[in-house]
Amino acid sequence: MSSEKEEILNRALNRQKKARLQAEKILEDKSRELYNTSLELKKVNAQLESLLGEKNSQLQGVFENINDAYLVMDLEGNVIKMNDVAEKFFEFTLEEEDVNVVDLIYYEDYEYAMASFTQLTEKGRFADYNARIITKNKNVKWVNINASVIFDKDNNPIAAQGIIRDVTSQREKQLVLDLINDTAKSILGKEDVNEIAWEITNKITGYLNTDNCVVYLINSDTKFLEPIATYNTDKINDRPKLSVGEGILGSVAKSGISEIINDTSLEDRYISFGKEKLSIISVPIINDKEIIGVIDARHTQKDFFKPEQINTLESVANLVAMQLKSALNLIERKKAEKDNADLLSKLAKSNEELKEYAHIVSHDLKSPLRSISALTSWIKMDNADVFDKDSLQNFNDIETTLEKMDALITDVLKFSSLDATVNEEDEVDLDVMVKEVIHMLYVPLNITINIQDKLPVIKGDKTKFQQLFQNLIGNAIKFNDKENGFININVKDLKSFYKFTISDNGIGIEQRNFDKIFKIFQSLKQSENSSGIGLSIVKKIVDIYNGEIWLESELNKGTTFHFTLKK
């Protein structure tokens, strides 16, 4: 090998040695840096673990020591965790038994609770939910709940949490105030004894959740207690006259001292309850120290009346005493002026009903209707390139229906401000109109509507006829619980008038409620979708056209409404 090549190789070897020494130094430096970083990470992790433990301890302390009930549940309603306040409030011990929030819902508030839970899952929270719950020991309590959804790290909902506040005491106080205020408003200006008494029984029956409430007045000639009104109107004829001093009511009428009797198998000879548990509360109606009657409420197989409820009923009795006395003094004058008084009463009642109805329509129908229209438009615009042709057509149908509903509401509002005059100039094709009404209504897939006869053309106000058929068909849809439901519509031509029939196979109506359902704001089913005005409007429209309306019904088998309209 030449000296030149040898020198080249030596230089290359030296370069490799230097490079290896540099690499070893870099590796040594990096190893030292990684070692120091590892020590720092261990120190930070230790600090984080300490802080996490401290925070968990603090959160657990908040969970256990919060003054209100607090619980966590999964999305199926199964309670995962409760604090001590919640266990005491609901009377459950989570370690010993499984709890589902559905079991805690008071049956009358079930639909409201389900709607609120839907809002919780869709929007992630709800606030100021007020309803009743049933504890393990069957105690009914009012609660105010604020709840929110719990999400995992990927933002998926996994559970829900809520703070529950006991508002039973405040609610009961408010119910007492509402009872007194509502009674005052309902009887203000009324001069008919039976009407005043019916309003009293209506309000008290709802407040006490009692089987019945009866107002007795003392006949000044015979000195007998005479029943004049009961919320359960079918039972009024079962109440014979009682002499003052006879039985519990007679004792209250004679002494003027309220009485309350609980847990008795007493058999009244005027009301027989057999050996059932009976609870009675009776308070006198006193005007200027004169006892003019008695308010009597009673029920069986329910919670006992509470002594404090006597004070509430005495307040109501004092409130109505003067009004009742005044009405009694006006009976003779009212007999002489019967025709005029009946007309004035009818007009006053009609105006009041129309004002209330206009309020309901404007606030409870138009506002959400506009919201639906806006939301529908936004959804369609935002997803125009996603929806297929059929979906877009469905949105168009929704918008068309909303427009029709808005127009109908506007027409009804105009109608509410008018008197009961009959428009006989316009011809209305009922066959076309009823089909339009059905198209506007939401008809579930399990319900079939059959127009069995071609409906006639009739003279009158189209808006009134729309409201008439919409309420009857809508009720038949709403209260049909059958897997295969049906609604049949037919008509008969009977010389000077038409007889229409709308029948269904729904839940039916008890016979004792046949008259009650036509009274304004008297809804047999408590529901946030039912205002209790629909059938009263139906009867009013039939009356305007000099027709009649009646029904046949059997529980769990269905209902048939018959009504007539003149040609």
Side-chain angles (χ1 to χ4, degrees):
M1 176 183 299
S2 67
S3 60
E4 183 179 352
K5 287 184 178 180
E6 183 177 355
E7 183 178 353
I8 292 173
L9 289 174
N10 286 332
R11 285 201 300 268
L13 182 61
N14 289 332
R15 285 197 299 271
Q16 286 180 358
K17 288 180 179 180
K18 290 180 180 180
R20 187 173 64 182
L21 289 173
Q22 289 176 348
E24 288 176 351
K25 187 176 185 307
I26 291 173
L27 181 61
E28 181 180 351
D29 291 341
K30 290 297 181 182
S31 297
R32 187 181 301 107
E33 183 179 341
L34 287 174
Y35 176 74
N36 292 332
T37 301
S38 175
L39 292 178
E40 286 295 326
L41 284 175
K42 287 182 180 180
K43 183 178 179 181
V44 170
N45 285 337
Q47 291 176 342
L48 287 175
E49 288 177 1
S50 175
L51 181 61
L52 182 61
E54 181 180 345
K55 292 299 181 182
N56 284 338
S57 177
Q58 291 175 354
L59 289 174
Q60 184 65 26
V62 171
F63 177 81
E64 294 296 341
N65 296 303
I66 189 171
N67 291 329
D68 294 318
Y70 174 81
L71 64 77
V72 180
M73 67 178 186
D74 63 23
L75 297 183
E76 301 299 323
N78 300 305
V79 178
I80 302 170
K81 194 172 185 180
M82 280 184 175
N83 66 354
D84 293 340
V85 179
E87 290 192 344
K88 182 177 180 180
F89 180 71
F90 292 109
E91 299 168 353
F92 283 95
T93 303
L94 198 58
E95 293 180 357
E96 299 176 359
E97 53 201 321
D98 294 331
V99 182
N100 190 290
V101 295
V102 175
D103 300 328
L104 305 175
I105 299 171
Y106 189 69
Y107 68 96
E108 290 184 0
D109 298 334
Y110 182 81
E111 291 185 8
Y112 171 48
M114 291 300 102
S116 298
F117 185 76
T118 299
Q119 177 185 342
L120 174 64
T121 55
E122 291 179 352
K123 298 184 178 181
R125 65 183 298 274
F126 66 66
D128 285 332
Y129 166 90
N130 291 283
R132 288 159 290 187
I133 59 94
I134 304 177
T135 69
K136 179 181 178 180
N137 296 324
K138 307 303 180 185
N139 292 313
V140 178
K141 298 180 181 180
W142 280 94
V143 295
N144 173 274
I145 302 177
N146 292 284
S148 61
V149 172
I150 300 172
F151 298 91
D152 62 15
K153 63 180 181 179
D154 296 322
N155 204 34
N156 296 314
I158 56 173
Q161 60 184 349
I163 295 178
I164 303 97
R165 179 161 295 174
D166 185 0
V167 294
T168 305
S169 177
Q170 300 94 305
R171 184 75 182 193
E172 288 179 347
K173 290 177 182 178
Q174 188 61 49
L175 286 174
V176 172
L177 292 175
D178 290 345
L179 170 66
I180 295 173
N181 291 334
D182 289 347
T183 305
K185 291 177 183 178
S186 66
I187 67 173
L188 186 63
K190 288 184 170 62
E191 296 181 349
D192 181 81
V193 176
N194 293 84
E195 190 175 2
I196 294 170
W198 189 88
E199 291 285 358
I200 298 169
T201 61
N202 179 8
K203 297 295 186 296
I204 293 176
T205 299
Y207 167 71
L208 294 177
N209 189 27
T210 185
D211 290 334
N212 60 76
C213 176
V214 186
V215 171
Y216 291 82
L217 290 182
I218 299 175
N219 188 305
S220 58
D221 296 325
T222 64
K223 301 300 180 184
F224 272 83
L225 279 167
E226 297 181 356
I228 64 167
T230 174
Y231 184 73
N232 297 318
T233 54
D234 290 350
K235 296 182 179 180
I236 191 65
N237 294 327
D238 297 334
R239 309 275 180 158
K241 300 177 182 179
L242 300 168
S243 63
V244 174
E246 178 184 0
I248 299 168
L249 300 183
S251 173
V252 172
K254 185 176 181 179
S255 67
I257 300 174
S258 302
E259 289 193 26
I260 184 169
I261 300 176
N262 287 321
D263 196 16
T264 176
S265 57
L266 172 70
E267 283 198 32
D268 282 32
R269 57 190 179 90
Y270 49 91
I271 307 172
S272 176
F273 284 97
K275 293 184 178 180
E276 290 182 314
K277 181 179 73 176
L278 175 65
S279 190
I280 305 170
I281 186 170
S282 298
V283 299
I285 305 172
I286 305 175
N287 179 258
D288 291 335
K289 298 183 180 180
E290 179 188 2
I291 303 170
I292 61 175
V294 175
I295 298 175
D296 178 75
R298 53 184 65 197
H299 59 53
T300 59
Q301 303 299 333
K302 294 183 180 179
D303 295 332
F304 293 149
F305 290 128
K306 302 174 183 177
E308 57 265 27
Q309 290 174 323
I310 285 183
N311 296 329
T312 300
L313 295 198
E314 286 177 345
S315 298
V316 174
N318 292 334
L319 180 70
V320 303
M322 186 176 296
Q323 194 75 15
L324 280 172
K325 186 66 175 179
S326 175
L328 288 169
N329 293 336
L330 288 171
I331 287 178
E332 291 301 322
R333 182 179 67 81
K334 289 179 69 177
K335 287 180 181 178
E337 302 173 351
K338 184 177 185 304
D339 292 340
N340 187 43
D342 286 346
L343 178 59
L344 291 175
S345 176
K346 182 178 180 181
L347 288 174
K349 186 177 181 181
S350 176
N351 287 336
E352 187 64 25
E353 292 173 5
L354 289 175
K355 288 177 183 178
E356 291 292 331
Y357 184 54
H359 175 78
I360 291 172
V361 170
S362 61
H363 288 82
D364 296 347
L365 291 181
K366 275 221 165 189
S367 179
L369 195 64
R370 288 166 180 162
S371 297
I372 293 172
S373 179
L375 290 171
T376 302
S377 298
W378 295 341
I379 293 172
K380 189 174 75 171
M381 285 190 300
D382 292 344
N383 299 275
D385 56 342
V386 177
F387 292 136
D388 58 21
K389 182 179 180 181
D390 290 340
S391 297
L392 291 173
Q393 182 58 47
N394 289 336
F395 274 101
N396 291 335
D397 290 343
I398 292 173
E399 292 174 345
T400 301
T401 303
L402 290 172
E403 291 173 359
K404 290 181 179 178
M405 290 178 68
D406 187 82
L408 176 60
I409 293 170
T410 301
D411 290 340
V412 172
L413 284 171
K414 291 179 182 177
F415 160 67
S416 68
S417 62
L418 300 175
D419 57 18
T421 56
V422 178
N423 179 6
E424 295 184 347
E425 299 300 323
D426 298 331
E427 289 190 342
V428 181
D429 188 335
L430 294 182
D431 200 70
V432 173
M433 188 211 73
V434 169
K435 290 176 181 176
E436 291 176 349
V437 167
I438 294 171
H439 183 70
M440 286 191 296
L441 293 169
Y442 169 69
V443 183
L445 296 177
N446 65 305
I447 295 178
T448 303
I449 301 179
N450 308 302
I451 302 178
Q452 298 179 325
D453 304 310
K454 182 174 177 59
L455 303 181
V457 176
I458 190 170
K459 289 185 176 181
D461 190 314
K462 182 178 180 180
T463 299
K464 291 184 176 69
F465 293 147
Q466 283 177 326
Q467 194 71 358
L468 170 63
F469 281 92
Q470 181 177 334
N471 277 298
L472 288 173
I473 298 171
N475 271 9
I477 294 172
K478 187 186 303 180
F479 300 115
N480 197 312
D481 58 347
K482 303 301 186 296
E483 184 176 350
N484 295 309
F486 67 78
I487 300 169
N488 295 330
I489 305 171
N490 56 52
V491 62
K492 288 185 179 180
D493 189 338
L494 301 175
K495 296 184 179 179
S496 61
F497 59 90
Y498 293 106
K499 176 187 173 185
F500 297 87
T501 301
I502 298 179
S503 59
D504 63 68
N505 63 337
I507 64 175
I509 302 170
E510 290 182 278
Q511 185 174 0
R512 66 189 180 92
N513 291 318
F514 282 8
D515 293 330
K516 174 185 172 183
I517 61 174
F518 293 112
K519 296 180 184 289
I520 193 166
F521 303 128
Q522 297 301 311
S523 177
L524 302 182
K525 297 283 287 182
Q526 296 297 323
S527 169
E528 62 182 5
N529 296 322
S530 177
S531 67
I533 197 173
L535 290 179
S536 65
I537 291 295
V538 166
K539 184 163 191 321
K540 181 169 182 175
I541 295 172
V542 172
D543 289 342
I544 288 174
Y545 286 89
N546 298 321
E548 296 181 359
I549 185 167
W550 67 99
L551 69 148
E552 301 168 355
S553 185
E554 188 173 349
L555 281 179
N556 300 318
K557 291 189 177 180
T559 301
T560 299
F561 281 93
H562 305 279
F563 62 95
T564 59
L565 297 174
K566 67 178 183 179
K567 292 185 177 179

